[in-house]
């Protein structure tokens, strides 16, 4: 296949990527045949997947707007993925034009494309880093040059922690980030769960094991642990579609969306 010029050297475009599959689910164009084939198999297995991804994205937008309402205008989006319509900086700046955003991902394609999209924007940053090394991430000049870590920051971990296996210490990783953030900082988090759709969870996780990005769907109690040290904001940890839905929004069966979402504030 022809290799697009935006793909960094050394990237195997024949192996599916979770980030590019997510881009495909959202209707993006930065994905390859292998990603589309894997995503098509996943959708065949679980037809609600595109709606689930859209519900996750909609939660992120509502949470970012709420952060600005609370006076938090700095955002650290870890596991940001490939840019698509309605990015954090677009949503935040619609609410407060002075908002600052740093995007973090360990996928070189996501990082390369984000850097190209945001070149010359001094109120955004893009870095390649791993959330499991919080110290290095927060000390990166691409973060410290954009965000003032002495002031509250909204930490976004949206649809990313289910790609960190238990053995890699995801709860410890979140705790390390929390300890280094200023009081008043927010944790904006969504996470896949088998609750409500246990029939789909096993085959779906099996498929992602073949992409090189194995997924660990977690229970409500396991997801709640990520908020230790934070005060949960209303309405607490709920299914994604239930978190502060837009006025007039018709709610479908929330368990269809197979993901929990919540926002916590550091005292």
């Amino acid at each position: 296949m022809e290799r697009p010029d935006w793909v960094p050297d050394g990237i195997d475009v024949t192996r599916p990527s979770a980030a590019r599959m997510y881009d495909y689910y959202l209707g993006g164009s930065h994905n390859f045949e292998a990603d589309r084939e894997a995503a098509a198999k996943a959708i065949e297995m679980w037809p609600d997947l595109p709606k689930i991804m859209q519900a996750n994205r909609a939660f992120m937008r509502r949470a970012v707007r709420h952060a600005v309402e609370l006076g938090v205008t700095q955002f650290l989006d870890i596991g940001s993925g490939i840019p698509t319509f309605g990015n954090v900086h677009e949503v935040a700046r619609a609410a407060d034009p002075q908002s600052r955003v740093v995007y973090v991902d360990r996928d070189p394609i996501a990082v390369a494309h984000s850097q190209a999209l945001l070149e010359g924007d001094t109120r955004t940053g893009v870095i390649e880093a791993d959330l499991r090394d919080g110290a290095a991430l927060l000390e990166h000049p691409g973060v410290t040059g954009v965000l003032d870590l002495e002031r509250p920051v909204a930490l976004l971990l949206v649809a990313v922690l289910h790609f960190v296996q238990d053995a890699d210490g995801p709860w410890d990783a979140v705790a390390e980030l929390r300890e280094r953030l200023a009081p008043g900082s927010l944790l904006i988090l969504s996470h896949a769960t088998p609750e409500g759709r246990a029939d789909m969870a096993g085959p779906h996780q099996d498929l992602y094991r073949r992409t090189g990005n194995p997924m660990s769907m977690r229970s409500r109690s396991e997801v709640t642990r990520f908020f230790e040290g934070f005060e949960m904001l209303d309405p607490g940890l709920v299914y994604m579609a239930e978190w502060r839905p837009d006025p007039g929004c018709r709610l479908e069966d929330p368990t269809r969306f197979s993901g929990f979402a919540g926002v916590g504030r550091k005292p």
Side-chain angles (χ1 to χ4, degrees), residues 163-211:
F163 292 116
V164 182
Q165 305 304 296
D166 288 2
D168 290 328
W171 294 279
D172 291 339
V174 175
E176 181 178 18
L177 291 166
R178 180 196 68 223
E179 289 304 304
R180 290 171 175 267
L181 295 178
S185 291
L186 303 176
L187 172 61
I188 297 173
L189 181 150
S190 65
H191 196 296
T193 182
E195 294 189 16
R197 297 301 297 273
D199 57 324
M200 297 292 191
H204 189 64
Q205 291 178 100
D206 289 342
L207 183 144
Y208 269 86
R209 288 190 189 100
R210 299 196 292 272
T211 70

Side-chain angles (χ1 to χ4, degrees), residues 19 56 61 80 93 104 124 132 134 141 149 183 213 216 218 242:
N56 183 72
R61 292 193 291 266
S80 52
R93 287 182 188 167
V104 182
T124 62
R132 293 170 296 183
L149 298 181
N213 300 106
S216 293
R218 296 187 171 103
E242 294 178 317

Side-chain angles (χ1 to χ4, degrees), residues 7-8 20 47 49 101 224:
V7 179
R20 298 194 301 268
L49 275 179
V101 180
T224 299

Side-chain angles (χ1 to χ4, degrees), residues 5 33 39 41 48 51 57 67 70 72 87 97 111 117 126-127 134 140 151 157 170 192 207-208 216 223 227 230 253:
D5 56 12
E33 183 176 354
K41 289 178 182 176
D48 283 337
K51 277 194 170 185
R57 197 77 176 175
L70 295 175
V72 179
N87 285 309
V111 172
L117 178 71
V126 182
I127 69 167
H140 193 290
R151 296 174 47 238
L157 296 172
L207 183 144
Y208 269 86
S216 293
V223 177
F227 287 94
F230 291 93
D253 176 3

Side-chain angles (χ1 to χ4, degrees), residues 2-231:
E2 185 176 348
R3 188 182 186 88
D5 56 12
W6 49 266
V7 179
D9 292 337
I11 296 299
D12 182 1
V13 299
T14 67
R15 186 176 188 182
S17 154
R20 298 194 301 268
M21 289 170 67
Y22 186 66
D23 176 69
Y24 176 78
Y25 293 136
L26 293 174
S29 59
H30 293 89
N31 48 75
F32 306 120
E33 183 176 354
D35 307 307
R36 294 188 286 273
E37 288 178 353
K41 289 178 182 176
I43 293 171
E44 183 178 350
M45 178 191 309
W46 197 341
D48 283 337
L49 275 179
K51 277 194 170 185
I52 291 170
M53 305 307 173
Q54 291 159 16
N56 183 72
R57 197 77 176 175
F59 157 70
M60 179 274 288
R61 292 193 291 266
R62 297 194 304 274
V64 167
R65 289 195 296 266
H66 188 56
V68 175
E69 290 173 1
L70 295 175
V72 179
T73 58
Q74 299 190 108
F75 298 86
L76 180 61
D77 186 2
I78 301 179
S80 52
I82 295 173
T84 190
F85 178 74
N87 285 309
V88 173
H89 72 281
E90 294 171 334
V91 178
R93 287 182 188 167
D96 186 325
Q98 298 306 309
S99 295
R100 292 177 171 267
V101 180
V102 173
Y103 293 106
V104 182
D105 210 289
R106 63 178 184 176
D107 184 321
I109 288 183
V111 172
H113 194 60
S114 298
Q115 289 172 335
L117 178 71
L118 297 169
E119 186 177 6
D121 186 336
T122 59
R123 284 181 287 114
T124 62
V126 182
I127 69 167
E128 183 175 347
D130 194 313
L131 71 86
R132 293 170 296 183
D133 189 353
L137 191 161
L138 292 176
E139 293 167 7
H140 193 290
V143 173
T144 58
V146 176
L147 305 180
D148 178 1
L149 298 181
E150 298 299 315
R151 296 174 47 238
V153 171
L155 169 64
L156 286 92
L157 296 172
V158 176
V160 63
L161 286 166
H162 46 239
F163 292 116
V164 182
Q165 305 304 296
D166 288 2
D168 290 328
W171 294 279
D172 291 339
V174 175
E176 181 178 18
L177 291 166
R178 180 196 68 223
E179 289 304 304
R180 290 171 175 267
L181 295 178
S185 291
L186 303 176
L187 172 61
I188 297 173
L189 181 150
S190 65
H191 196 296
T193 182
E195 294 189 16
R197 297 301 297 273
D199 57 324
M200 297 292 191
H204 189 64
Q205 291 178 100
D206 289 342
L207 183 144
Y208 269 86
R209 288 190 189 100
R210 299 196 292 272
T211 70
N213 300 106
M215 174 184 285
S216 293
M217 302 175 81
R218 296 187 171 103
S219 67
R220 177 185 291 274
S221 62
E222 289 174 314
V223 177
T224 299
R225 284 180 58 196
F226 289 116
F227 287 94
E228 290 180 359
F230 291 93
E231 298 172 344

